[in-house]
Amino acid sequence: MRASTATSKSILLEYIIKRRWLGNGLLILVGLFAVYRLAVELINNPILFFQQVINGLQLGFVYALIALGYTMVYGIVRLINFAHGDVFMVGAFISFYGVTRLQLHTWVSSVFPSFPPVAAQIIGAVTVVLLAMVTCSVLAFTIERVAYKPLRNAPRISALITAIGVSFFLEYFGALSFVFSPNFITYKRPFDVTTWYLNKGGIASLQSGQAIPPGSVIFSNIFVIIVISSILLMLALQYIVRNTKVGKAMRAAAYDKPTARLMGINVDGIISVTFGIGAAFAGAAGMLYAIAFPQVFFWMGIIPGLKAFVAAVLGGIGSIPGAFVGALIMGQAEVLSAAYISTPMRDAIAFSILIIVLLIRPTGIFGEPTREKA
Amino acid sequence: MMLQVEDLHVYYGAIKALKGINFHLEKGEIVALIGANGAGKTTTLNTLSGILRARQGKIHFLGEDISQTPAEEIVRKGIIHVPEGRKIFATLSVMENLEIGAYTVTDKGQIARNIEMVFNRFPRLKERQNQLGGTLSGGEQQMLAIARGLMTNPSLILLDEPSMGLAPVIVEQIFEIIQEINDQGTSVLLVEQNAQMALSIADRAYVFETGMVTLEDEAHKLLENPLVIEAYLGGH
Ligand SMILES: Nc1ncnc2c1ncn2[C@@H]1O[C@H](COP(=O)(O)OP(=O)(O)OP(=O)(O)O)[C@@H](O)[C@H]1O
Ligand SMILES: [Mg+2]
């Protein structure tokens, strides 16, 4: 009896997996329902809806920066680098210390007091983010050399388990009181927050203590900074990957490592560069995330890291545009489900997306069918 | 002597693929390596280019032992390996494949001249320069593989079965090009199943059998050797 239920279940599952149209049909139904629900909400309260979209964009851009690292590393070494979320955490902490201990965000005005204050603040914040990016790159470079490179020819599962080990190492090493901290720490932003409200009457800044005028959506300079810096970083990445010699070598090595070596490419070096770039982006994301949600904690990388991973899978792991699109979808899915279903539903929806994608379209939106390569 | 291989032993795990290979190549020569499937020809080229490591034996290139040199350094010494099955980077455009071929060339002007040179030799590639490598036909891919190999102005080019899977007309064309490349001063080590074609353009040749060299001679003599005719030229 039990056995027969089990088989009939597995037959059903197999049917669903094999018959793409059935899976896709289900997905379309769920999707249509979601669109319908959202349309109703949009009509009922467009202001709330647009507010959520803005919040979702802010989150989505941060996820995109993290997801790029997952997808680039996967593209070249076929490894899901589960320590990537913790590199993001390290980036957040480094920027925290850059601001609180080193006062890096104010160096321009203390060295050149006559410098225009806004420009000085921007240069200061950029210095902090660069520090976080460089530190994370060096960290990832070291992790790759010490933990992953010796396993390059081992079965893939070995490297995957090692990545989980590295992840725990970074978390609990970071929790030591002489490293980062075992506690939640309030993050000090390297600039003051300004908020604007936008409504039919136009755009104006919101004074402190002022109530939000009805019928307006609000956004802050944090939103502007996150969107602009993420777009700039992604354009830079696009340029590196498409147009530079290193980027072409990365793509060649991702496709076929032995042949890349026959072209004179130092594949190990290119892999290190890939880890380094991915980690730099995670470091920047760590700082941006901490600016948006001003708190740092040694576990803070786990959930954003996992969600960025889902975003990378949703977009098609290995695909850079996929990571970007997947992350924006994840940002919206999370914020909209928190707003219209319930806050805890946010994470449930995020990981349900992972399961649905893996069942129905494991290659994601932009992914090509898997092609195993050495 | 440009290339001298002495007592080369290569293993895949416990499987012995090369059991003490000896051969050499003089500057300016075309030397062919012929033999049945699994004889060890590809293994030999992969060892020369540093993709595989010899367990025993020496490889002297221009007087220097390169048997322990990594693949990416061997390219810089002037040996280019055009691998079996072409191995075009399918996700890169034709132009990008050529640029990757010139990865070790630092002089931008030299790269531009080399691109010009291969486009003159392979006008088809010029027409298709923006197309992805994976969308080319088999013959075009072989041309791209050779063109990509020429981007470093190599002194020695290792060609692994350039005729594989191509129509006879295209094979003729490819062999003419190999002859031209050689006329312009590049030495050629040519691995071929198509022994007839290989022997017709080679100066000398070595016959491989199960990881050993069983016969070596000038190519035109091998074309008349009864053993070779029997085994590799369709026996009449
Ligand atoms: N990656 C590998 N692992 C194990 N054995 C291998 C591997 N590659 C080749 N071999 C074995 O080594 C021997 C030589 O193979 P090789 O590819 O060098 O032959 P070949 O002369 O190039 O043949 P073909 O004309 O079919 O290309 C064969 O017996 C083959 O099975
Ligand atoms: Mg072969």
Side-chain angles (χ1 to χ4, degrees):
Chain A
M1 181 62 201
R2 276 191 70 153
S4 81
T5 346
T7 31
S8 65
K9 248 189 205 160
S10 73
I11 286 170
L12 180 67
L13 199 63
E14 203 174 308
Y15 188 72
I16 292 176
I17 293 167
K18 272 201 186 138
R19 300 295 152 121
R20 265 207 161 172
W21 57 264
L22 183 58
N24 286 346
L26 269 175
L27 194 63
I28 289 168
L29 273 183
V30 173
L32 283 178
F33 179 70
V35 168
Y36 164 76
R37 272 300 310 269
L38 291 175
V40 169
E41 300 291 350
L42 173 63
I43 291 161
N44 286 348
N45 188 347
I47 295 300
L48 177 65
F49 187 87
F50 287 125
Q51 187 65 61
Q52 298 311 326
V53 170
I54 287 178
N55 299 347
L57 272 179
Q58 174 171 317
L59 197 58
F61 274 105
V62 176
Y63 288 163
L65 289 180
I66 313 175
L68 287 171
Y70 272 113
T71 225
M72 288 169 68
V73 162
Y74 183 85
I76 201 157
V77 287
R78 298 288 183 269
L79 167 71
I80 308 287
N81 179 16
F82 276 116
H84 192 60
D86 303 295
V87 172
F88 158 94
M89 174 272 291
V90 170
F93 268 99
I94 295 295
S95 75
F96 172 76
Y97 289 119
V99 171
T100 54
R101 299 264 168 89
L102 306 177
Q103 306 287 326
L104 264 184
H105 61 303
T106 57
W107 74 267
V108 183
S109 44
S110 51
V111 179
F112 310 105
S114 58
F115 214 77
V118 175
Q121 225 175 20
I122 291 177
I123 297 175
V126 168
T127 313
V128 178
V129 83
L130 285 179
L131 174 73
M133 291 173 80
V134 169
T135 312
C136 289
S137 285
V138 173
L139 174 67
F141 181 85
T142 314
I143 292 171
E144 198 275 324
R145 281 293 143 113
V146 173
Y148 302 151
K149 187 168 174 245
L151 298 171
R152 188 85 21 94
N153 298 317
R156 259 197 245 166
I157 190 79
S158 313
L160 192 70
I161 292 168
T162 304
I164 295 171
V166 172
S167 167
F168 282 131
F169 172 79
L170 291 177
E171 285 159 20
Y172 291 98
F173 192 70
L176 296 172
S177 49
F178 59 86
V179 182
F180 297 147
S181 168
N183 304 313
F184 285 92
I185 301 176
T186 303
Y187 187 82
K188 184 175 176 321
R189 296 187 177 107
F191 53 84
D192 299 321
V193 180
T194 319
T195 307
W196 294 278
Y197 62 89
L198 175 72
N199 56 23
K200 290 201 185 77
I203 186 168
S205 77
L206 194 71
Q207 306 308 317
S208 67
Q210 185 190 350
I212 301 166
S216 15
V217 291
I218 58 163
F219 63 95
S220 65
N221 53 350
I222 296 173
F223 171 78
V224 177
I225 286 168
I226 288 182
V227 171
I228 291 181
S229 47
S230 304
I231 289 177
L232 287 180
L233 282 168
M234 279 181 273
L235 288 178
L237 180 70
Q238 188 69 10
Y239 179 79
I240 293 173
V241 171
R242 286 284 129 206
N243 299 43
T244 66
K245 194 167 168 175
V246 170
K248 287 170 195 164
M250 278 164 66
R251 285 186 285 139
Y255 185 74
D256 181 347
K257 285 184 196 54
T259 307
R261 295 185 67 205
L262 291 182
M263 304 294 120
I265 295 170
N266 177 346
V267 170
D268 285 331
I270 292 294
I271 290 172
S272 295
V273 170
T274 309
F275 269 85
I277 294 176
F281 276 57
M287 175 166 173
L288 293 173
Y289 190 84
I291 286 172
F293 309 99
Q295 198 172 50
V296 286
F297 184 49
F298 70 92
W299 270 344
M300 69 180 280
I302 299 178
I303 290 294
L306 283 175
K307 287 183 180 157
F309 164 66
V310 178
V313 173
L314 170 62
I317 191 131
S319 155
I320 289 177
F324 180 65
V325 171
L328 291 187
I329 295 176
M330 285 296 291
Q332 295 303 331
E334 183 171 337
V335 168
L336 293 175
S337 49
Y340 296 125
I341 309 174
S342 73
T343 310
M345 207 48 197
R346 180 175 76 181
D347 295 353
I349 292 282
F351 297 116
S352 307
I353 289 179
L354 176 65
I355 294 169
I356 292 172
V357 172
L358 289 180
L359 276 178
I360 291 172
R361 193 174 158 83
T363 54
I365 300 171
F366 286 79
E368 295 135 33
T370 37
R371 170 187 46 78
E372 294 288 313
K373 267 277 166 186
Chain B
M1 201 170 305
M2 182 168 240
L3 179 73
Q4 181 157 27
V5 174
E6 280 171 58
D7 193 31
L8 203 63
H9 291 256
V10 177
Y11 290 72
Y12 293 100
I15 303 165
K16 195 166 188 175
L18 297 185
K19 307 165 184 167
I21 298 282
N22 293 284
F23 67 92
H24 71 273
L25 178 147
E26 303 281 351
K27 190 168 185 310
E29 273 189 316
I30 298 182
V31 170
L33 309 181
I34 60 175
N37 291 117
K41 308 177 298 292
T42 298
T43 305
T44 305
L45 292 198
N46 283 341
T47 313
L48 290 179
S49 61
I51 290 291
L52 290 175
R53 281 267 163 270
R55 187 165 300 181
Q56 191 185 321
K58 287 206 163 36
I59 303 166
H60 283 280
F61 179 65
L62 301 172
E64 183 188 357
D65 184 7
I66 58 164
S67 60
Q68 300 306 318
T69 310
E72 51 270 23
E73 290 306 318
I74 288 178
V75 174
R76 290 171 171 81
K77 296 188 186 297
I79 303 182
I80 280 293
H81 179 183
V82 178
E84 188 174 58
R86 295 142 200 151
K87 301 291 169 66
I88 292 305
F89 297 109
T91 49
L92 271 62
S93 71
V94 168
M95 185 54 116
E96 287 171 336
N97 269 279
L98 294 175
E99 288 166 348
I100 283 291
Y103 188 77
T104 55
V105 182
T106 42
D107 175 0
K108 289 236 167 79
Q110 185 66 44
I111 297 176
R113 281 194 296 280
N114 288 359
I115 288 181
E116 178 101 13
M117 178 255 305
V118 300
F119 278 166
N120 280 335
R121 184 164 274 147
F122 304 99
R124 276 293 264 287
L125 296 182
K126 185 172 187 174
E127 287 163 30
R128 292 167 195 253
Q129 54 180 294
N130 296 319
Q131 209 168 307
L132 287 185
T135 63
L136 296 182
S137 74
E140 290 162 352
Q141 288 196 9
Q142 186 61 60
M143 291 177 189
L144 179 55
I146 295 175
R148 187 177 64 179
L150 293 175
M151 289 298 295
T152 52
N153 307 98
S155 44
L156 170 62
I157 190 163
L158 317 176
L159 296 170
D160 199 344
E161 301 209 30
S163 75
M164 195 209 286
L166 302 183
V169 200
I170 312 284
V171 175
E172 295 268 351
Q173 237 178 314
I174 298 275
F175 274 83
E176 269 165 36
I177 288 161
I178 296 170
Q179 185 72 66
E180 275 171 38
I181 292 167
N182 179 248
D183 291 343
Q184 287 165 18
T186 305
S187 311
V188 178
L189 184 62
L190 175 65
V191 161
E192 259 304 334
Q193 288 280 334
N194 188 336
Q196 180 75 50
M197 281 304 263
L199 293 176
S200 69
I201 68 162
D203 298 301
R204 293 183 305 108
Y206 294 83
V207 177
F208 276 55
E209 259 171 57
T210 58
M212 288 186 290
V213 172
T214 52
L215 207 55
E216 58 170 287
D217 208 337
E218 288 174 29
H220 67 92
K221 289 188 184 153
L222 286 176
L223 272 172
E224 285 151 20
N225 183 320
L227 288 172
V228 174
I229 293 173
E230 180 64 34
Y232 304 108
L233 300 174
H236 300 293

